Amino acid sequence: MEELLFTLIPAIIVLPLIGALINMFAIRDGRRAGLIASAACVASFVVGLTAFILLAGLPHEERTHVDVTLWQWIDAGPLQVPFGFLFDPLSAVMVLLITGVGSLIHVFSIGYMAHDARPVRYFVYLNLFVAAMLILVLANNYLLLFLGWEGVGLCSYLLIGHSFERKEARYASMKAFVMNRIGDFGLMLAILALFQRFGSLNYGVIFPRAGELVGQQIDWVLGPTAVASAIAFCMLIGVTGKSAQIPLWTWLPDAMAGPTPASALIHAATMVTSGVYLIVRSHAIFILTPSVSNTTVYIGVATAFIAASIAIGQYDIKRVLAFSTVSQLGFMVAAAGMGAYTAAIFHLLTHGVFKALLFLGAGSVIHGAHDVQDMRRMGGLRTAMPATFWTYLAGTAALAGIFPMAGFWSKDEIVGSAFHGTRFGTYPVVGTILIITAALTAFYMTRQVSLVFLGRQRDTSYHAHESEGIMTIPLWILAAGSLIVGLINIPGFYFLEHWLEPVFEVAHAVGEPLPFSFTLAIITVALALGAAFIAYQVYANRQWKKTFRDPLTRYLGVFFEGFEHRWYADDVYEAMFVRPFKATASFLSRIFDPMGIDGLVNGAARLVGLGGRGYRVLQTGYIRSYTLVFLMGVVAVLGYFGFATVR
Amino acid sequence: MVPTEYYVMLSALLFTIGVTGVLTRRNALVVFMSVELMLNSANLALVAFSRRWNHVDGQILTFFVITVAAAEVAVGLALLVGIFRTRRTTNVDEVNTMRG
Amino acid sequence: MEFTPPQTDFATIGPPLVLVVWATILLLVDLFIGNKRTTAILALVGLAAAAAAAVPFYGQTPRISFAGMAILDDTAIAIDWILVLVTAITILFSIDYLKRQAIEMGEFYPVLLFTTAAMMMMGHGRNLIALFISLEWLSIGLYVLAGFAYPRIRSQEAAMKYLLYGAFAAGFLIYGIALIYGVTGTADLATIADQLRADQALRSSPVLLIGLGLLLIGFGYKISMVPFHMWTPDVYEGSPTPVSGYMSAATKAAGFAALLRVVDIAFPVDVLPVWQIMLAVLAALTMLVGNIAAVAQSNIKRMLAYSSVAHAGFILCALVAINVPGAVQSYLYYILAYALTNLGAFAVVIALEQAGEERFDIADLAGLGWRQPLLGAAMAIFMLSLAGVPPLAGFFAKWLVFQVAYQGGFWWLALIGLLSSVISAFYYLRIIVNMYMREPTEPARSFTTTPLLAGVALAALLVIVQGFLTNPVLNLVGQTVAAGR
Amino acid sequence: MNFLLSVIVWLPLLGALILLFAPGISDHAAKRVALIWSLVVFAASLPLIPGFGFFDPSRAQLQLIERVPWIGAFGVDYHLAVDGISLWLVLLTTFLTPIVILSTFDSVNTRVRAFEAFMLALQTGMLGVLLAQDLFLFYIFWEFTLVPMYFLIGIWGGSRRIYATVKFFLYTFAASVLMLLAIIALYVLWGANSFSLPDMLNAMRTGQFTLDQNLARWLFLAFFAAFAVKVPLWPFHSWLPDAHTEAPTAGSVILAGVLLKLGGYGFIRFNLQLFPEASRFFAPAIGVLAVIGIIYGAWIAYAQTDIKKLVAYSSVSHLGFVMLGIFALNPIGLHGAILQMVNHGLSTGALFLVVGMIYERRHTRDINAFGGLWKVMPVYTFLSLLIVMSSIGLPALNGFVGEATIMFGAFSSPFLGWEFAAFGLLGVILAAVYLLWMFRRVMMGDVTEATAKLRDITRLELTMLVPLIALIILIGLYPAPFFRAMNESVTALANSIGPTLAAR
């Protein structure tokens, strides 16, 4: 049975790759490409599910040892890195999320991309993306993880820049890649350090020995956890890049320039979760260092809150969702930082489902509204696209954390962990902020639903229509999913908690299942419902022109402007980093290199030329001056010999 | 007997006069004469040394020097005549079309 | 007392003797020859005979005769052969040049042979008297040759300057000889060395050292050692081009041969090392001044003149450390490589020079490489060889002399030499740039004839081959090195 | 067959002579002859691949030795041999040359015979540098490579070609003569009348030949000068952008592809082996220069508007990694450095080809003159993207494998350390910045009138790129065989230098 597993695991990755290759070389027709891509992804899901079941059939302790090495990747003396995969409970659930949600997005895309100029290319990217993400979660060592990590970065770059004729797409794609690279810098540094400390990059070698890091000192940071902290901190940089946390979060909202289903795939369900996955995967290192873990928590919670506040001020339907993603990722990162790893993964899974739903819903809206994205130009779309509306409402409820939707369970577990405490202690302030953020979430989602679906259509220049079945069916499936997926870790049973236990056992990081707190549940749900009610009151059923200002500007003033302009983060980055960078580049290129470094080189040559011309003046052409120089030479030579005899 | 040093001093003096002549005179003929003076001062020294060492090597050399000087002057005068024909001058300072 | 005539072995001066006799006959025969090409061919025959005269003695025990005045060893033979080669190539180049410049007179070839014989004597001389006479002899020949294009003002001026400068320098040389004779009582090189070995006080005698200084200056001016080089550019520019080439190659070879004899036999390093540093400094100066001055030249003959100054400096590097094993071979190797290369370069100039007094600038080479592929390629090879780019002869030569200098303890001299050869690469490359990388500005003109092209091709081929055959060439020039010590 | 290496070295020169002197070869035929000839050379070099029985990867020592006395008076030998250090660079050279000659089919139309002859002569020079085991012979080949390159740039180059080529020649020449002095010094100091590198190393290891510490450092610096200029290491790089910008496409490819590698190879073969103590002493300083070069090259590349210049500066940056790997002085770093030299040859060579292709179409390399190529030339752009990504160091492509290995080496090196790796990694970020910036400006965006009619990649151009890209992907996914072939030699070398891993 294990052998079957060994063949299935590579197949999970290879299938979407084959899909990509077929589409790349053999297919010219968009719809056919979509079908092939979807088939590949679905097949990968089926294989993944089979593998999952097989894994579940294994005894508890063996579940973390399904490790298959395809070939030796890097074989450079002491540096040995296999091209190998590890299929353990953690990667198994990730595989299911990626291929499952991914398949639905593929299917949805067939309809959505029907009128695109380059659908084949799009599906190639999509399949590649899934493959890269699968490599990321299935890798059995950090370097291969890094391959997937950068691979999804590349695919997101391609997908965001898919419609490269549009300026924002071009810029956003590059911004995404570069910001991710900055994060990758940290991760790579962490990987280098891990290799230096352990002489290997395999999880199977590092995690059981992770404890050795405690007590190792480095000269510039004192304290027994210095090395572990440094490594974890570098990883955290990577996490902030990929999972769009402060300070590297600004690429994600811009990344909405890609096709909407791609946003669903990349920026909601899969790619951005890899940061969280990394922390959970590397929990063995993070639990050693309370300081970095706490930093992680603060970054997460700050991101959650700030992104939520920004989401309130956005008019673009996708941008709201984008900031909501950033905010939800903040929840997950905070949870991972606290050591509530199961909670983080739990929220990751539920969020993956309902955020995909919301994005696809938004895609359906945009598709039906003929590429309109500004919510002020929408309104009343409920009647035109009922299926989209109802599924969207389900997603909203899930995101807002309304009982009994998935988001309720997972978010509650994170908030609960903050108050109840973890191995690093309790986080009451963090918990409070998270609750407030959850309320804000309910607010802006209700605002969105109100603006898009309720009331009357404000801009009647287009005729909205419902999307075709190939797009709505995935929406229904996901809507059902957002209800069901919450059950996988429902209090009392804690399926996910138990399923992941073998993973955390290695580093003795298994936590106690969190007791369910009714008080907390009631408070959060009540706050969310209250916020939703206010939003409904403010936004639903109003008569506005299509260019109205948000009524909140009246009450919040500059704060709302801050929301609207994303707290000016991009402008600050532009002024602090981009412009000095460009100015320095220009200085180096125009002045320092040609006049400084090259100036020395040319100057030396010029000096010789000058010497030559100077000499020509001496060569006067007068024989008498030649004889004079001769005589001077005689004097010098005789002078030397005179000097030599005296000495 | 006059010490050898005296001859050498005299020859050095003559040599210096010759060198000075080459350096200061513009007429090519006078320059030639100055060069002759230099050569002959060497001859004087040679003869003096020859007497000091009491063999004839130096004197033999002196004869060669005289011969050489004569040959040189022959070629030199021929050249000078040629130059005088084309340029109507024997001033060495005017012979400087090539420089630099 | 019975008079015993000194044992006279004419073989010791065989090659120059053959040349002198032949040249004298040729001078007379020429009166009856209408076609001067025939005279040239006869001159070549004479050269061949001179070269052959040394063959039986090559690799044999050195022979000394004429009361120790003359020596026949492998070094002398090597110099002879180099001179024969150089003169032969010069004759090939001259035939058409003289006709084109309307100065075709039969005396040219005999005078050339006389001069060559004098140069050979520089290699055979083993006595200061012999060396002085040879030097003056070859000088007079060169004065005539320099002024050979006498209707041209520049040729006259060149001869005039050369003559005055040469005579002036001769004065210093003979005075130096007089002083050395004065303190040692001999003009015989080997005896001088014996005296120095025997007499501690003599080694620090100011008169001797002044004499030595004047001696070095007297020969140094002939090889264009800075600061006694100032005649070089003017004379090279004004002389008929084959003569310039001949001077740059043959005169240098002869001058260096004499210097080698003087320094190596009379003032060996182990006895009197004091001149080493002085000569090293002068060598460094020569390399630097020659190369830096050449950078600023636009007239190609002047540029080659300065380049020849610079190369004198490179050769001096080996002379400075002449006591090192292999130094003499390296020294001769460089002279051969340099002579071939430089002569070839002048030949290309000859091929391109028009009649009359027109100056020939580097810019006039534009596009030559494509118009005249053979001439261009040959010139490129010569320039690269002069710059010291492998695998051409010039590179091996530089390597050898710098290695000698390093081995002799003069690493800084080697460094300066290497750096100044970088400077030299700049102006050598400029020639190639003009030939291959610029389009011609005026219609093609060149005067290539079979003898000339043959000469150029021969030189180019030898420049390439010499490098690969370094080992045989080294053996050739120095089987029994400086046996006259 | 003990003259395989000689065949590989001299065959190209023979081809060059045939091209120059055989009568009646038309321009058209000359290209074909050169291509076939270079393919024959490539075929002749294929047996070197481990597994054909010629090269034994399990041996650290030199192999396929050919040694004949040449200049006996000074102990110069004709001495060729190959080991794991030079193996892949040799194959890279023979592999790239046919591709480069193929690239001339469209782009070189004047004086074709001479061009191809110089190209083949250059190949002889480069192979000689990689295979010569006699210091003197090495130097001859080393300098000889300048000559054909000088002509290639100077005759077929752009408008400032003369300035560029003279600068290239003089700069490298000036640095090389210092090496010659050092070679002479080694010969004299050793006093065994031999220039043989392996013998000299043997004498050093057995203690028969010891160098004074200070002197060894000076000699190290003399070699360093020659190689640092060639690599080029910051701040000796200023000839490179000029040479690259002005060179014809084929010249740029071979310059970036192989010629620069000779510097890195020289460091490994000579500096590291001959002067282990000085290598250790200077490693941090050179590491600093390398890191400055990585960042500086990348930073300045960002400000370029000429695509070729941008790629040229990217070379400065990328070769900084190679230097970092070399002076990590441990097996990992050296593995990475050697592989990265191959990688850079492939990627940057391909980049120059790609730039040359649009230059042929538009006769400009100004980034501002392009836009929207992804639309009109999709296949071309796709291939370019792969190459750009390889250059950026995307995992699964070759650039990453090399750079990552170098970083592991630098991080765990006792002579460098984490700071060097960290700053080096900054260069990886910047690589993405300037290359994607270029990609955005050239390939993305809307089609302009000037670009609308451009034809997509031709079959000929595809033929050039496909082998390169195949290797780019192969090395990215399965570099292990490449590493294994050099493993023994590199490990032996690293062990001879000193401690290879920092104390944990």
Side-chain angles (χ1 to χ4, degrees), chain C residues 321-478:
Chain C
I322 202 72
N323 56 322
V324 168
V328 177
Q329 285 107 314
S330 307
Y331 185 74
L332 294 172
Y333 185 96
Y334 199 113
I335 291 171
L336 175 64
Y338 165 76
L340 285 172
T341 318
N342 224 38
L343 208 55
F346 272 105
V348 175
V349 179
I350 291 169
L352 300 171
E353 221 173 7
Q354 277 181 317
E357 289 243 5
E358 201 181 326
R359 286 165 66 92
F360 189 73
D361 275 0
I362 293 171
D364 294 337
L365 288 169
L368 176 75
W370 307 111
R371 285 201 319 254
Q372 293 272 341
L374 182 72
L375 221 50
M379 188 65 166
I381 287 171
F382 298 141
M383 290 301 118
L384 290 173
S385 170
L386 286 175
V389 175
L392 301 171
F395 163 73
F396 288 88
K398 277 189 180 151
W399 159 57
L400 289 170
V401 297
F402 293 144
Q403 186 159 300
V404 166
Y406 188 98
Q407 219 159 345
F410 293 92
W411 64 268
W412 54 271
L413 188 60
L415 183 64
I416 290 174
L418 286 164
L419 291 178
S420 60
S421 62
V422 174
I423 298 174
S424 78
F426 176 74
Y427 58 85
Y428 294 130
L429 288 188
R430 205 167 54 195
I431 300 232
I432 298 178
V433 162
N434 273 287
M435 287 195 304
Y436 284 94
M437 302 169 195
R438 286 192 209 282
E439 294 306 317
T441 47
E442 49 189 291
R445 46 153 217 208
S446 65
F447 308 91
T448 48
T449 55
T450 320
L452 184 82
L453 277 184
V456 170
L458 177 69
L461 198 69
L462 288 175
V463 166
I464 296 173
V465 167
Q466 191 186 343
F468 289 102
L469 300 181
T470 298
N471 210 35
V473 173
L474 280 174
N475 288 337
L476 194 72
V477 295

Side-chain angles (χ1 to χ4, degrees), chain C residues 142-197:
Chain C
L142 285 176
Y143 302 150
V144 173
L145 289 173
F148 207 78
Y150 61 86
R152 286 174 17 191
I153 294 173
R154 281 167 192 275
S155 180
Q156 282 178 346
E157 182 179 330
M160 178 78 178
K161 280 181 173 168
Y162 198 12
L163 174 65
L164 286 178
Y165 201 91
F168 183 67
F172 285 91
L173 176 62
I174 191 63
Y175 206 87
I177 292 174
L179 291 183
I180 288 172
Y181 174 68
V183 283
T184 59
T186 177
D188 185 82
L189 296 179
T191 319
I192 293 173
D194 293 341
Q195 300 264 9
L196 287 172
R197 278 206 182 83

